[in-house]
Amino acid sequence: MSEIITSENIFHSESRVAPLRLLPMRGTEELTEKINHYLTSWAAGSFYAEDTFIVESDCPRFSSGDGKGIIKSSIRGDDLYIIIDVGNYDCDYKLFGRKNAMSPDDHFQDLKRIIQAAGGKAHRINVVMPLLYGGRQHRRSYRESLDCAWALQELQAMGVQNILTFDAHDPRVQNAVPLMGFDNVMPTYQVLKCLFRAFPDLKADRDHLTIISPDEGAMNRNMYYSSVLGVDLGMFYKRRDYSRIVNGRNPIVAHEYLGNAVEGKDVFIADDIISSGESMLDIAYELKKRNAKRIFTYATYAIFTNGLDTFDKAYADGIIDGVFGTNLTYRTPELLSRPWFHDVDVSKYIAYIIAALNHDMSASVIIDPHEKIRQLLADRK
């Protein structure tokens, strides 16, 4: 029977798969350092104690854009965890003398290069990819590609045994690789902990708080928040113009609300991605028309592709009171400096899961945070 993992017994189990190694891809150095800090502190004083679990690597490119993957130390017989952020557009390279920002395609190609460099040497290859490559192109309409499914099958064919992702746009993409380990994790506890710390006067009960789903696709994650907090749930659904495509999607005509009155109540809205933020702000303005008190929005990946000006204005006008996002993907220094943005650190959570996988311990208690949320609410009371 698998042992339940804790920080006390995490490196005192004899069931380790192989020596642990972390390999950060470009743009994940800060996150990997935090993960490594937890793992080395837990390992201190045990047989597995090391100064660092990090393995250095590089993916240099020629001026023509061609590249290669290099691992700078031995990984033979190791349990390798490659950490990658395919959404980090702050990374760049020279292409025919011009600076070229790395796209998700560039990051994914570098991941495959590193896997090739590790092939036949590492005992096991695992990929920690919080923002799932191609995750927004998870299903086919008419003559379209299936990017996410194909990428997962490609990684499986290259020898990857486990993929760890967070809040996948549609976790059913794992059906493309039913024989490969695929964990889709939700950082619900970390988000609520950050929310209550930032707004200690927030009352998480049915009379003072309502959870709102921004659309039908986000219902599952918002239903979970509603269930663990014991508060009401409402939903907006998007009426789209399916006769046109703008910026790769059918434009939204209107947001329609289904649910109980929100007058005088705080509102929490959760989604996987804030891209342009247009949809989230439309909902916030609609809720203010219904006399909602404070509005808190959360997205696992707060990428803000169209800049921050509209959110600055909404905050200044009292429409939104806080926006929460995780450190699982790149956030600009400008975003981190905003008074309305709250950064949710998920590095310790990742460290727990990596340690569980490395020691063949049960990760079910880690992945299901219900008990920790219950204790968090009990402590507040």
Side-chain angles (χ1 to χ4, degrees), residues 326-344:
T326 69
N327 61 341
L328 294 170
T329 192
Y330 174 69
R331 294 97 58 233
T332 64
E334 293 77 19
L335 174 61
L336 293 173
S337 69
R338 290 303 197 266
W340 44 263
F341 183 73
H342 303 271
D343 201 34
V344 181

Side-chain angles (χ1 to χ4, degrees), residues 196 201-206 208-209 229-231 377 380-381:
F196 293 146
D201 62 328
L202 181 64
K203 296 181 180 179
D205 59 51
R206 188 162 289 173
H208 299 91
L209 178 66
L229 295 176
V231 299
L377 295 175
R380 284 177 54 80
K381 292 179 181 178

Side-chain angles (χ1 to χ4, degrees), residues 280-281 283-289 292-296 313-322:
M280 193 72 83
L281 284 181
I283 290 170
Y285 280 102
E286 287 293 329
L287 289 169
K288 279 297 182 180
K289 290 178 184 178
K293 187 180 176 183
R294 292 181 295 183
I295 297 176
F296 309 106
K313 184 178 186 305
Y315 178 71
D317 294 343
I319 302 300
I320 57 170
D321 292 84

Side-chain angles (χ1 to χ4, degrees), residues 26 61 88-94 99-102 107:
R26 193 175 176 193
R61 290 177 183 264
N88 193 328
Y89 58 92
D90 191 49
C91 302
D92 56 58
Y93 61 93
K94 285 291 184 68
K99 183 181 286 188
N100 195 44
M102 289 185 69
H107 284 290

Side-chain angles (χ1 to χ4, degrees), residues 210-221:
T210 295
I211 306 297
I212 299 292
S213 176
D215 54 38
E216 59 276 18
M219 273 299 288
N220 283 342
R221 62 178 63 86

